[in-house]
Amino acid sequence: IKGVYVTDLDDNGFDEFYIVTISSGSGSYGNVIGFASNNDKSLSMIHLPEVEEGDERFSGYMGHDHFQISENVLIRSFPIYLPSDNNNKPTGGRHELTYGLFPGEASWQLKIVDSATIR
């Protein structure tokens, strides 16, 4: 467990609970486990979409995730690896993905609302 956050990303007056985990090993891949309050009557899971091959927003992704909460969004940042880079020396800059929280059919969904590359 790398971090725990209690916040109201969707600004509905009810807090969500987020647990950030980072895997051990050279990749340090991150994950977010979340629960949303349903009007303080029950809890629902919050789904973070998997990294999909071919998604340009994850071009050069090899883990080393960092998560933070700022101004009602979840921010995921990671180094960008170029094809010739070693796992310990990325040279492509950093990528930041900004997630918002939205209701889904059976659970809440974290969805990417912004993407930026920092070189």
Side-chain angles (χ1 to χ4, degrees):
I1 294 177
K2 186 69 172 178
V4 176
Y5 301 97
V6 177
T7 190
D8 186 9
L9 290 188
D10 62 350
D11 203 25
N12 68 355
F14 299 97
D15 287 336
E16 302 93 39
F17 184 72
Y18 298 90
I19 303 167
V20 175
T21 62
I22 303 291
S23 66
S24 60
S26 61
S28 302
Y29 293 95
N31 190 30
V32 175
I33 302 162
F35 299 92
S37 170
N38 299 309
N39 300 323
D40 283 344
K41 295 179 182 174
S42 64
L43 293 175
S44 293
M45 289 288 296
I46 297 172
H47 175 71
L48 176 70
E50 297 287 326
V51 175
E52 292 186 25
E53 191 172 328
D55 186 337
E56 283 297 314
R57 297 171 293 194
F58 287 94
S59 181
Y61 176 74
M62 290 180 63
H64 304 281
D65 292 300
H66 173 76
F67 289 92
Q68 68 184 40
I69 303 276
S70 178
E71 299 180 17
N72 285 2
V73 293
L74 172 71
I75 300 169
R76 175 189 213 158
S77 63
F78 53 87
I80 300 169
Y81 287 84
L82 301 179
S84 61
D85 289 346
N86 293 329
N87 192 27
N88 61 348
K89 292 191 180 184
T91 61
R94 290 194 68 75
H95 204 73
E96 274 190 7
L97 301 175
T98 304
Y99 293 83
L101 181 64
F102 301 91
E105 285 186 36
S107 66
W108 290 86
Q109 308 287 322
L110 287 167
K111 294 183 182 179
I112 298 172
V113 295
D114 196 14
S115 174
T117 300
I118 303 157
R119 303 240 181 222

